[in-house]
C-alpha cells in the first residue's frame, strides 16, 4: 500500500479534513479538526446524516488503513461508499461542551463493505460508531464513553460486534432493522440519562445473536422491540448474558413471536427482573422461548413467574402524572397501562448466592474498570 505522510495529514487539518479518495493507502494522522456544532438531520434517507466537511477524515476508496492515529473533532471519520477499510489502534475525542444533538459521529460507516474498526477509543459523540446501509462490518475492542449511542447499527447486514465497552451513554449498543448480526463479550455499564438508558437495545433484527455480554447499572439491561418486521420472522437469540443491577433487567415490547429466544442468561439485582409489554393489545401470552435462565431469589427448578402487583395498581390509578413520569417508574407504568402479561420461565436454573470472596472480587474488578476509564478520559 502507498502511505500518506504525517505532514500531508497535518496540512489537511488546516482545512479540517483529510480526504482519502485514492485506493491502496495507509495513513497515521494526528489531527485537530473542526470542534464546532455539527448539523444533523437531512431526512431519514439522506445520503449522510452529517456533512462530510465536518469530519476530520473522509474515506471514499478501496483498501484503506487508518492506524496509530489521534484526533480531536466534532465528527471523526466518515467511511462512505468504500470497501476493505481498516481503522485500528487510535483515539478520537469529540467536544463534550456541545449538546449531544449537535455532535457528530466518532466513526460513521455508510454504504460500505468489509470494514473493520478495532482497538479504538471514542468519547464525546452523538454516536461512537454508527453503521448505516453497510455489510460485512466488524467492530472489536472499542471503548466508548459519554456519547448518545456507543455502537449504533441501522439497515445493515453481517455485522459483528465483539469486546466493546460502552459506559455513561444513553444507549450502550443499539442494533436496529438489520440482518445477520452478532454482539458478544461486551460490557454495557451505567448507560443512564435521567430516567432513561439502555444497555443493549434490539429492534426488529433478523438472525441476531447476543451472547456473553454484561449489562450492568442501566435503566434497561436488555430491551427487545419487535414490531413485526421481516414478515414477522424476527429471529433473536439472547444467551449466556449477565444482566445485573439494572432498573429493569429484560424488557420485551411489541409483537409476541416464537422466534425470540432468551436462554441461559443470569438476571440478578435488577429492581424489576423482566417485563413483557403487549403494546398491540392482542391479549396474547408471550410466545418467546424463555428457558434455563437464572433469576435472583428463585432457588428452585419450578417455573419462574413474575408479575408486579405494585405496577398493575399504579397502572389502574390516576397517578400517571408528572411525578411518576419523571421517574424510572414511568417505564413500568406506561408499559403496563397498555397491556401486560406475566413473564414466565418454565425451566429456570436455581439461583445460588455467590460466596463473599466472589462478591469482593467482582467489586474490585468493577472499581479497577472505573479507574481505567477515568484515566483515559
Amino acid at each position: 500500500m502507498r502511505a500518506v505522510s504525517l505532514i500531508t495529514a497535518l496540512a489537511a487539518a488546516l482545512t479540517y479534513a483529510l480526504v482519502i479518495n485514492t485506493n491502496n493507502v495507509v495513513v497515521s494522522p494526528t489531527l485537530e479538526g473542526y470542534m464546532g456544532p455539527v448539523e444533523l438531520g437531512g431526512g431519514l434517507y439522506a445520503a449522510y446524516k452529517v456533512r462530510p466537511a465536518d469530519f476530520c477524515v473522509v474515506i471514499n476508496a478501496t483498501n484503506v488503513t487508518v492506524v496509530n492515529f489521534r484526533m480531536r473533532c466534532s465528527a471523526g471519520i466518515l467511511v462512505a461508499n468504500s470497501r476493505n477499510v481498516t481503522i485500528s489502534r487510535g483515539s478520537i475525542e469529540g467536544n463534550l461542551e456541545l449538546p449531544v444533538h449537535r455532535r457528530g459521529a466518532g466513526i460513521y460507516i455508510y454504504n460500505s463493505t468489509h470494514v473493520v474498526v478495532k482497538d479504538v477509543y471514542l468519547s464525546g459523540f452523538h454516536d461512537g460508531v454508527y453503521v448505516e446501509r453497510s455489510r460485512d462490518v466488524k467492530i472489536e475492542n472499542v471503548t466508548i464513553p459519554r456519547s448518545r449511542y456507543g455502537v449504533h447499527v441501522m439497515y445493515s447486514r453481517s455485522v459483528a460486534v465483539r469486546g466493546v465497552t460502552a459506559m455513561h451513554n444513553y444507549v450502550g449498543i443499539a442494533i436496529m432493522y438489520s440482518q445477520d448480526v452478532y454482539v458478544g463479550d461486551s460490557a454495557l455499564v451505567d448507560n443512564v440519562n435521567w430516567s432513561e438508558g439502555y444497555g443493549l437495545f434490539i429492534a426488529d433484527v433478523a438472525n441476531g445473536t447476543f451472547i456473553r455480554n454484561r449489562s450492568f447499572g442501566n435503566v434497561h439491561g436488555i430491551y427487545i422491540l419487535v414490531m413485526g418486521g421481516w414478515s414477522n420472522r424476527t429471529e433473536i437469540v439472547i444467551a449466556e448474558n449477565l444482566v445485573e443491577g439494572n432498573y429493569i433487567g429484560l424488557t420485551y415490547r411489541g409483537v409476541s413471536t416464537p422466534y425470540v429466544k432468551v436462554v441461559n442468561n443470569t438476571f440478578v439485582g435488577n429492581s424489576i427482573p423482566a417485563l413483557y409489554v403487549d403494546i398491540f393489545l392482542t391479549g396474547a401470552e408471550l410466545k418467546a422461548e424463555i428457558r434455563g435462565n437464572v433469576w435472583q431469589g428463585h432457588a428452585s427448578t419450578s417455573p419462574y413467574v413474575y408479575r408486579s402487583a405494585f405496577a398493575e395498581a399504579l397502572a389502574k390509578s390516576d397517578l400517571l402524572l408528572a411525578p411518576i413520569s419523571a421517574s424510572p417508574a414511568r417505564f413500568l407504568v406506561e408499559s403496563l397501562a397498555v397491556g401486560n402479561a406475566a413473564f414466565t420461565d418454565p425451566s429456570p436454573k436455581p439461583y445460588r448466592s455467590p460466596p463473599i470472596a466472589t462478591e469482593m472480587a467482582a467489586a474490585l474488578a468493577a472499581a479497577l474498570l472505573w479507574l481505567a476509564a477515568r484515566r483515559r478520559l
Side-chain angles (χ1 to χ4, degrees):
M1 287 189 176
R2 189 167 62 87
V4 174
S5 71
L6 183 59
I7 294 176
T8 302
L10 290 172
L14 299 176
T15 59
Y16 297 136
L18 168 62
V19 178
I20 301 172
N21 52 17
T22 302
N23 298 337
N24 306 314
V25 167
V26 178
V27 295
S28 297
T30 298
L31 298 174
E32 180 160 349
Y34 175 68
M35 294 296 287
V38 170
E39 295 294 334
L40 300 175
L44 182 62
Y45 298 103
Y48 309 111
K49 303 294 189 297
V50 182
R51 295 179 304 173
D54 288 339
F55 285 87
C56 265
V57 174
V58 177
I59 299 171
N60 184 3
T62 298
N63 298 332
V64 174
T65 298
V66 181
V67 63
N68 297 327
F69 59 89
R70 185 177 180 86
M71 305 178 195
R72 293 187 69 249
C73 311
S74 295
I77 300 175
L78 170 63
V79 180
N81 307 313
S82 298
R83 183 165 58 89
N84 295 340
V85 175
T86 298
I87 301 168
S88 67
R89 300 202 299 274
S91 66
I92 312 176
E93 296 185 18
N95 187 352
L96 286 169
E97 295 182 1
L98 292 173
V100 69
H101 67 279
R102 301 309 301 273
R103 304 177 193 172
I107 298 173
Y108 187 166
I109 302 167
Y110 179 83
N111 193 35
S112 296
T113 60
H114 301 291
V115 179
V116 175
V117 178
K118 185 174 183 179
D119 301 325
V120 174
Y121 176 84
L122 305 163
S123 176
F125 292 101
H126 190 258
D127 293 355
V129 180
Y130 181 52
V131 181
E132 182 182 8
R133 303 184 188 282
S134 295
R135 182 170 53 85
D136 296 321
V137 176
K138 295 180 180 179
I139 302 167
E140 301 177 354
N141 301 328
V142 176
T143 299
I144 310 165
R146 299 193 292 179
S147 299
R148 185 189 70 137
Y149 286 24
V151 174
H152 189 187
V153 178
M154 297 275 288
Y155 312 118
S156 295
R157 187 164 191 169
S158 300
V159 178
V161 180
R162 293 182 173 88
V164 165
T165 299
M167 63 182 74
H168 307 303
N169 306 296
Y170 172 55
V171 180
I173 297 176
I175 309 295
M176 307 172 71
Y177 318 117
S178 297
Q179 294 178 273
D180 305 327
V181 177
Y182 177 96
V183 177
D185 303 301
S186 295
L188 315 167
V189 181
D190 292 336
N191 295 290
V192 177
N193 183 356
W194 194 36
S195 63
E196 299 182 90
Y198 303 79
L200 181 57
F201 187 102
I202 305 163
D204 270 355
V205 171
N207 189 28
T209 299
F210 304 85
I211 186 169
R212 293 187 303 276
N213 301 291
R214 181 171 181 259
S215 187
F216 176 81
N218 312 284
V219 175
H220 293 269
I222 298 177
Y223 190 99
I224 304 170
L225 178 64
V226 180
M227 300 299 289
W230 311 110
S231 300
N232 288 319
R233 288 296 300 268
T234 295
E235 298 175 11
I236 297 170
V237 176
I238 310 291
E240 301 176 29
N241 300 284
L242 173 60
V243 184
E244 180 178 6
N246 305 280
Y247 183 67
I248 304 177
L250 171 67
T251 302
Y252 183 116
R253 189 177 180 93
V255 177
S256 179
T257 171
Y259 301 109
V260 173
K261 296 175 173 58
V262 181
V263 296
N264 300 329
N265 302 281
T266 299
F267 296 92
V268 294
N270 304 292
S271 299
I272 300 168
L275 185 65
Y276 166 50
V277 186
D278 175 16
I279 61 175
F280 295 106
L281 300 177
T282 63
E285 291 298 316
L286 180 58
K287 298 176 183 177
E289 180 182 338
I290 299 166
R291 58 178 171 79
N293 302 284
V294 174
W295 306 94
Q296 184 169 347
H298 190 82
S300 74
T301 57
S302 62
Y304 174 82
V305 180
Y306 180 80
R307 184 193 293 274
S308 171
F310 166 75
E312 293 191 1
L314 281 179
K316 295 174 182 177
S317 73
D318 296 326
L319 300 177
L320 309 181
L321 300 174
I324 292 177
S325 64
S327 75
R330 163 187 146 200
F331 288 96
L332 184 61
V333 173
E334 286 180 343
S335 298
L336 290 170
V338 295
N340 180 68
F343 192 97
T344 302
D345 185 335
S347 55
K349 292 180 181 176
Y351 171 73
R352 298 285 183 263
S353 298
I356 294 177
T358 302
E359 292 182 342
M360 292 180 64
L364 178 60
L368 291 174
L369 178 64
W370 181 83
L371 286 173
R374 293 288 297 174
R375 289 174 180 172
R376 298 197 69 174
L377 299 179

